[in-house]
Amino acid sequence: MRRTPLALATTAALVAGAALGLAPAAQADESAGTLRFVDIVGEGGTVLKANVATPDGSTDTTRHPLIVLPTSWAMPQVEYLVQAKMLANSGYIVVSYNSRGFWQSGGEIETAGPKDIADASKVIDWALAHTKADPARVGMAGVSYGAGISLLAAAHDPRIKAVAALSGWADLIESIYSGRTQHVQAAGLLGGAGYLTGRPGPELKQVLDDFLSSNLDKEEDMIAWGRKRSPVEQLDRINANGAAIMLGNAWGDTIFPPNQYASFFEKLTGPKRLEFRPGDHATAEATGLFGLPNDTWTSAHRWFDRYLKGVDNGIDREQPVQLTSRSTGGYEGYPDWKSVHANQRKFDLGGTQRIRANVDSGANGGITLLTNALDQFLRVPPMVSVPLLPRPFAGVWQSERYDTPQRVRGTVKVHTTVTSTESSGTLVAYLYDVGPLGVGKLVSNAPYTFHDRTPGKSFGVDLELFSTAYDVPAGHRLALVVDTVDPLYIEHNPTGAQLTFSSPSADPSYVSVPLRTE
């Protein structure tokens, strides 16, 4: 059974475009000498539409640090005007350009392919030739698509000394195909927005068609396509070039979940910083695009000040991992990502439970862009009544009631044994904070799909839920719920399939929860 809600994705794309791309244009200062719109010739002669912001009164021969901003997926070139003006006012030359294939820029959408990476270097070339940019002080930044391009460019262009990659990806496969499961709303949103605002190339069209139609014969081709566009595959080159890299993302990012960024961060060897905040895709940075106070953009400015200007602002002496709790909004610092997981507490998934596939139990991860934005601003995550979940379609296990608050930090891991009546199937695991009345608030979730299994033969499943920071109040308990249908994902459950979850004595099933104890 497969569901591909492209209509929903297209509507979300329009809403996201209005919220993140169009309104800032009206707030930009376009006074002469500070902002101009230009054409830049990119790779293969493709014309890229761009704008250049320069410091006020910059008429001498002083060289200024340069920041290049590729636009987000489907966003017009006015996306960063407010931030560009703010950076220019603090002494930077800023060049923002519309990524190829979108809006007025030429070419076709390459999805951070080789031509996109070459474009970034061409923009740097242009800026060094046509502005007072300092070739020794070049940085790149961007939100979402711009973040991915910036990281990949840092692998190929050693002139890039600092990067701020916000709401981006390091591993494209782990982002939209984690657990070997298609994240259908995420892919549908990207595809719909691409068709609405740009010109997808034939390769992207084929990949989208194969992905959304579950063409498993092309799975290896899709994975190879994604790896070519994944900064983690360029890790050695990024580390060799030594750019200072700041990564920022939201806990509830339904397009590029935080796990893959955290894993990438741990492997970086140069100056680095990782920030996670509440929200969904790009919502943590959104207010900054309108010129409103925004902690993510403040950190990005400080990052560039330190590593492009050489300002001793202390950011390099702060704990490099900075987390914001979804529950309290408070900041926490850690020396590295593994320290976030230093304390683990398990609860058993005992007994045997059997569920029928193809029916949504009511447990789900919400709607891309909307659900986790509500959690960010109103602290209202998806909720269910755990006692009322239909047991024929949902497996439910609960911990004991906790006497003290449990501060969940990092990646919850699930280990269980599954037996299926069919060779293929999909399950989705949800962790809930359950109050005294049985109302469960979603802490995290993740999907898992299997193929080519022998019906009736058990196999082990190890699943990492999406990383989070959530405080479970005293008197509450945690519950793991597993079902087989979620609107966020494409499921692969044949009609009539059943899944059995067990806990053999030789290999007990459990949930491992990382906790902050200080």
Side-chain angles (χ1 to χ4, degrees), residues 394-470:
V396 180
W397 299 263
Q398 297 193 75
S399 72
E400 76 276 19
R401 200 178 304 277
Y402 298 115
D403 295 330
T404 59
Q406 304 294 295
R407 295 183 289 176
V408 181
R409 299 292 185 273
T411 308
V412 175
K413 298 179 180 180
V414 176
H415 174 74
T416 189
T417 296
V418 177
T419 307
S420 175
T421 59
E422 303 290 342
S423 61
S424 296
T426 297
L427 60 92
V428 185
Y430 310 88
L431 188 70
Y432 285 100
D433 159 25
V434 184
L437 299 180
V439 175
K441 296 182 178 180
L442 186 65
V443 178
S444 186
N445 78 99
Y448 181 91
T449 293
F450 59 90
H451 297 289
D452 302 321
R453 293 289 182 177
T454 302
K457 184 176 181 179
S458 62
F459 57 94
V461 170
D462 288 288
L463 178 60
E464 291 189 348
L465 306 191
F466 301 132
S467 302
T468 194
Y470 181 96

Side-chain angles (χ1 to χ4, degrees), residues 493-511:
N493 296 298
T495 301
Q498 296 183 42
L499 301 178
T500 300
F501 299 89
S502 58
S503 182
S505 58
D507 185 22
S509 299
Y510 61 84
V511 177

Side-chain angles (χ1 to χ4, degrees), residues 6 8 16 37 58 61 82 96 121 144 174-175 185 246 302 386 486 512:
L6 280 172
L8 172 64
F37 291 84
S58 181
T61 59
V82 172
S96 175
S121 291
S144 186
E174 280 301 306
S175 294
Q185 287 189 19
M246 171 189 158
R302 293 179 66 217
V386 173
D486 190 304
S512 181

